Amino acid sequence: MVSWGTIKALVLTLAPLLLPRLIGYVRSVRRPTTPSANDTAPVRPVPPRARHALNILFVSAALALVSTLSYFAPENIFTLTKSRVQTATDVIFTRLDFSRDGSPGPDMQLLRQRFVSLESRLLYFAYGPDPLAHCGFCNSDEPLSYLYYALPSLLTPHLLHLIALGAATSPTLSGREASLWRTQATVAAITLAVVEVYLLSTYNHKLNLSSVGTSDIDFFHWRLRVLRGLGIAITDLALAGLLFLSATNRAFVSPPSPAARLETATRTLEQANRKLHALGVARNAVLRDDGLRRRADAHWVAEGRAVSEVFEEREVVDGVRGALTRMNVSEIADEAGRYADSVVGGLLPAENPLGAAEKR
């Protein structure tokens, strides 16, 4: 079992080497905050359906962190009574009676019978009170039998976590942006479960034989609960961060395929065509109705009169004259002519070459 001191030493040693590379990688995948001419996926707000995934992940992380509180942990008799591993059973439970009100429950009576054996106490530190009190087929000579009994309760939080990740990355509930991370989320959830089972199955419960006081005892079951909650919370928050970056096009964005771009352009043209058709229908209706046509004519007459009055003001005349002196009017006129030809050129009938020759 790797100690916490070894982990801290590795972190302090590798952090100066890995942190600059991590920062460089994040900067390399980050997209600019303002769209450029060649930017096919500008930064955008979080889509509404992606917010559902973020909310699910934050709730899951919050519940995982809350589960690490000692209030939700099973009662630890040794920390409650400040007892050592070799403390007599009668002394332990006498202290327990003094530290709590009322008579001990049936679970405590079962544990009292098991604590006669030193091996059972060591298994208590590894697997907690429930297997020792309720497992009917477990035997201290076969420590793995306690693991088999504890597996359902051990895997239940991971199963709930997998369900939460499935909902958070569901294309139906959370949209396409969240579904892109479905495989990674599933692999991360299964990895957490496998790691916890591996740590518990390979844990040497006899390490506590050399402990002297209560502070020297490794309460592995309670420590594993905290690590499980922290692991689930970190996984959810990391996935939420990745989802936020990809959903807002800040990172992990791949340009759309030519087929997707063609489909988007076609859809845009179809929408514009429908709007132009609706505008033509509305204009046709206005021109065919006498009352609407008179109102439209009156509107444009009033609009022209208002514009004429504005252009007759002294300040506007001076401003237009000053702007014309700074502009090349002939170049603007030529550009306007070319634009007009490009707009109406396809509407004019093609000139007959024979007629053009006759004109010559």
Side-chain angles (χ1 to χ4, degrees), residues 330-345:
S330 59
E331 182 179 352
I332 295 176
D334 293 340
E335 184 177 354
R338 288 193 298 269
Y339 176 76
D341 292 339
S342 65
V343 171
V344 302

Side-chain angles (χ1 to χ4, degrees), residues 19-236:
L19 190 58
R21 296 190 178 185
L22 180 62
I23 295 174
Y25 174 74
V26 171
R27 288 177 177 173
S28 66
V29 300
R30 233 190 119 119
R31 299 187 68 84
T33 55
T34 56
S36 60
N38 298 324
D39 194 0
T40 57
V43 174
R44 61 177 181 178
V46 180
R49 298 178 71 184
R51 290 198 190 99
H52 298 162
L54 294 177
N55 292 333
I56 294 173
L57 292 173
F58 286 136
V59 170
S60 176
L63 292 177
L65 290 176
V66 170
S67 69
T68 62
L69 299 177
S70 58
Y71 177 82
F72 300 98
E75 187 179 54
N76 191 336
I77 296 176
F78 285 83
T79 56
L80 188 63
T81 60
K82 302 294 189 295
S83 301
R84 297 178 293 108
V85 178
Q86 294 82 7
T87 303
T89 304
D90 293 337
V91 175
I92 293 176
F93 283 89
T94 301
R95 293 176 179 175
L96 185 62
D97 293 338
F98 278 112
S99 63
R100 60 198 302 181
D101 297 332
S103 60
D107 293 348
M108 292 297 118
Q109 295 295 338
L110 293 173
L111 287 176
R112 184 167 190 167
Q113 298 174 8
R114 300 292 178 90
F115 276 5
V116 177
S117 169
L118 180 60
E119 183 72 13
S120 297
R121 297 187 183 190
L122 298 178
L123 292 171
Y124 174 84
F125 301 142
Y127 297 99
D130 183 62
L132 265 77
H134 301 102
C135 182
F137 62 87
C138 298
N139 188 353
S140 58
D141 296 332
E142 294 291 338
L144 287 180
S145 60
Y146 290 93
L147 174 64
Y148 301 149
Y149 180 86
L151 273 179
S153 60
L154 185 146
L155 294 178
T156 298
H158 295 285
L159 180 60
L160 296 176
H161 182 222
L162 188 60
I163 293 174
L165 292 182
T169 56
S170 170
T172 304
L173 181 63
S174 304
R176 185 185 63 84
E177 294 82 5
S179 64
L180 297 176
W181 298 98
R182 192 174 184 84
T183 302
Q184 292 83 347
T186 304
V187 171
I190 295 176
T191 301
L192 286 177
V194 171
V195 168
E196 183 171 357
V197 173
Y198 172 78
L199 291 177
L200 186 58
S201 61
T202 58
Y203 177 70
N204 185 10
H205 63 282
K206 295 184 181 295
L207 292 175
N208 285 316
L209 279 174
S210 58
S211 60
V212 178
T214 307
S215 59
D216 299 328
I217 301 175
D218 180 17
F219 298 106
F220 184 75
H221 173 73
W222 288 265
R223 183 160 59 90
L224 194 61
R225 285 187 69 261
V226 175
L227 293 177
R228 177 200 306 149
L230 292 177
I232 292 176
I234 291 173
T235 301
D236 291 342

